[in-house]
Amino acid sequence: MLRALAVDDERPTLEELVYLLNADPRIGAAEGASDATEALRRINRALESGPDGPDAIDVVFLDIQMPGLDGLDLARLLTGFARPPLIVFVTAHEDFAVQAFDLEAVDYVLKPVRRERLAEAVRRAVEQRGATPPSPRIPVHEPDPDHITVELGGVARFVPVDDITHAEAQGDYARLHTDRGSHLVRIPLSTLEERWRARGFVRIHRRHLVALRHIGELRLDAGTVSVLVGTEELQVSRRHARELRDLLMRRP
């Protein structure tokens, strides 16, 4: 069972997070800290106690935007420890996901926190610690081939795959672009490439996966190749240029 520390400068949010963590049977004990400085003192005490000591902490559920030392600063400090606790970021902002996973975060949970989403983060932490969960996992259903689930403001929404113009790699995440905006999902671009190949998506660059039907123009300029997707121009790498030209020529 995991021992958890929740860190958030907003008292009601912190109390709710600690409550939800303590209600999870895979969490042995959860406590709170109202800022990163208090959390750092508590983590130092845990490290002095040792991994099996009474003050040990296995995982920190960490807000990002806090006054003074923010969550990313604290996570960077922890990377310098010999046996740092696992980190799960809990934030209202999706813009820091790439930085978070560069710091080897276990998960990135958007506020307002839903019980089911937090349970998934706990499951990932349990698996990374190499423990066996004492409770059944939340059922995992086969993905709907016509939609992809995104999290927006703590609410799960289903975006039609046909609305997605292109996807952009951002670490372990992918940013999905539509005519109405973008969404961040924790799915590697390589997984989306395999899943959506039959739906007309093609890799044009190590960072970009594009729906052929949304390509408006293929541009050649001084040996470089790019495509126009909506109003956005995306570069095509040399290794993908020939395949893309062939596919566009065969496009109905």
Side-chain angles (χ1 to χ4, degrees), residues 71-210:
L72 291 172
D73 292 332
L74 177 58
R76 290 187 188 99
L77 287 173
L78 293 181
T79 61
F81 289 78
R83 291 178 58 93
L86 301 174
I87 297 291
V88 173
F89 285 103
V90 183
T91 176
H93 306 279
E94 67 173 28
D95 300 336
F96 301 102
V98 174
Q99 297 175 62
F101 283 95
D102 282 345
L103 293 167
E104 300 184 353
V106 172
D107 207 347
Y108 192 90
V109 179
L110 292 176
K111 297 178 182 178
V113 177
R114 294 180 293 113
R115 184 187 297 268
E116 296 83 2
R117 183 64 183 85
L118 186 64
E120 171 63 13
V122 171
R123 182 190 68 77
R124 290 175 177 173
V126 168
E127 286 189 350
Q128 190 151 331
R129 273 292 183 227
T132 302
S135 64
R137 284 178 52 174
I138 297 173
V140 176
H141 302 284
E142 288 298 316
D144 178 353
D146 297 322
H147 297 80
I148 186 166
T149 306
V150 303
E151 190 172 314
L152 186 63
V155 177
R157 299 183 185 276
F158 303 96
V159 175
V161 174
D162 288 344
D163 288 353
I164 297 168
T165 60
H166 62 289
E168 179 183 1
Q170 295 191 349
D172 289 337
Y173 276 67
R175 182 170 293 279
L176 309 179
H177 295 266
T178 72
D179 291 338
R180 293 180 295 278
S182 67
H183 309 280
L184 200 65
V185 294
R186 191 180 182 181
I187 305 176
L189 200 64
S190 57
T191 300
L192 294 179
E193 179 183 11
E194 181 178 348
R195 184 182 299 177
W196 291 346
R197 184 178 292 115
R199 302 184 68 96
F201 282 79
V202 59
R203 192 72 165 258
I204 65 167
H205 190 276
R206 62 183 178 83
R207 291 190 57 207
H208 292 115
L209 181 70
V210 175

